[in-house]
Amino acid sequence: EFGSLRWLEVSVLLACRCGGVLYLDEVNAMPGNVTSALHPILDDRRQFINIRKPVADEYGMYAPEVVNVSRDLWVVCTYNPGYAGMSKTNEAFANRFRWLPWDYDDKVESKLIKSPTIRMLGQALRLARETRAITTPVGTSALQRLEEDILHLDVDYALWAFMGQFTSKAEKAKVDAILTDRSIKALIENEFVKTPVTPVEEPF
C-alpha cells in the first residue's frame, strides 16, 4: 500500500536467482568490501550471502539471507588497465576469473570510425602512451566523438574539444606535436571537405 516500505532486490541478487549475464563494468573501481562480498558467488559455494536482509531461521533467530546461485548465471567483468583513478584489481577476486585480453581492433574501429586520418591519429596517440610520452588513454569513443564533432560542427572546434582531455601542458604539447608533424589538421580538412551544392533553378 502507499507509504509502506518495500524490499527491492538489487541486480546482483536478481541475477543470482534468475540466471543470465551479470555484467560488472570497470570492476577495478569497486572497493574491496564489494568484491569480497561477491566471492561466494564466484567460487564453489555458488551462494550470495545478503548481509543486508535478515531472515528468521527455524530457531526464531535472524541470519543473513543465503541465495543459491542459478546454474545459468554468467558473471562478466571488464576494466581498462592503467586508467588514472582506478585501483589494482583485488587478486583474490581476479583469481576467480578466466582472463581474456581485449585490445583495440583495427577491423572493428574501421567500421565505427570511417575516417582513416582519425584512426591514424588514434594509433599515433596510443603509441605515444605505450612509450610514456603521454599518459592519457585514447579510446574508440574519444575518436568517435572527434569524428562526430567534425561532421556536425567544424574541424577547429572538434580538435579543440579533443585536446581538452589532455590536462597537462606537457601532454598537450606532445599531442600538438603529433598533430603538427603528421599534418593531421590538413589531412582532416581535405578528407572532410564538403562538395558545394549547386542550387536548382525553379522552372517558373
Side-chain angles (χ1 to χ4, degrees):
E1 65 187 62
F2 180 76
S4 61
L5 294 176
R6 290 288 186 271
W7 177 265
L8 297 177
E9 295 194 338
V10 296
S11 301
V12 172
L13 190 53
L14 287 172
C16 290
R17 290 193 197 279
C18 304
V21 177
L22 175 61
Y23 172 51
L24 306 174
D25 190 22
E26 301 293 358
V27 71
N28 57 333
M30 295 168 61
N33 64 325
V34 175
T35 55
S36 61
L38 299 175
H39 288 177
I41 296 174
L42 303 167
D43 59 27
D44 292 339
R45 288 171 286 180
R46 299 293 288 170
Q47 292 179 328
F48 178 60
I49 302 168
N50 188 3
I51 62 173
R52 298 187 182 280
K53 186 179 181 183
V55 293
D57 60 19
E58 57 185 313
Y59 306 107
M61 305 296 287
Y62 285 88
E65 180 185 34
V66 177
V67 178
N68 291 321
V69 175
S70 167
R71 292 175 60 87
D72 297 323
L73 177 66
W74 286 65
V75 182
V76 179
C77 301
T78 56
Y79 82 101
N80 293 293
Y83 270 36
M86 297 296 183
S87 59
K88 188 177 183 296
T89 308
N90 181 292
E91 291 182 355
F93 182 74
N95 285 338
R96 287 168 162 79
F97 290 90
R98 292 178 177 85
W99 286 71
L100 307 176
W102 193 275
D103 206 345
Y104 298 109
D105 189 302
D106 291 339
K107 290 181 179 179
V108 172
E109 285 202 330
S110 65
K111 293 180 179 179
L112 298 174
I113 304 163
K114 301 303 181 185
S115 165
T117 304
I118 291 175
R119 295 199 304 273
M120 180 185 73
L121 172 62
Q123 291 168 357
L125 292 173
R126 288 164 187 167
L127 179 60
R129 186 167 186 256
E130 285 179 14
T131 57
R132 300 188 181 279
I134 63 174
T135 58
T136 301
V138 179
T140 303
S141 58
L143 299 176
Q144 285 179 288
R145 286 191 293 270
L146 173 59
E147 186 172 58
E148 289 170 5
D149 286 346
I150 292 169
L151 286 169
H152 299 122
L153 299 165
D154 62 46
V155 174
D156 287 331
Y157 170 81
L159 289 174
W160 173 76
F162 182 77
M163 288 289 290
Q165 66 187 303
F166 306 100
T167 54
S168 74
K169 289 183 179 180
E171 201 166 60
K172 284 181 185 294
K174 293 283 186 181
V175 177
D176 190 58
I178 290 172
L179 290 169
T180 303
D181 294 346
R182 298 176 184 240
S183 303
I184 297 293
K185 183 178 178 182
L187 288 170
I188 287 174
E189 288 174 337
N190 289 335
E191 187 179 330
F192 285 85
V193 64
K194 294 179 174 60
T195 305
V197 177
T198 304
V200 178
E201 293 185 5
E202 296 293 341
F204 48 84

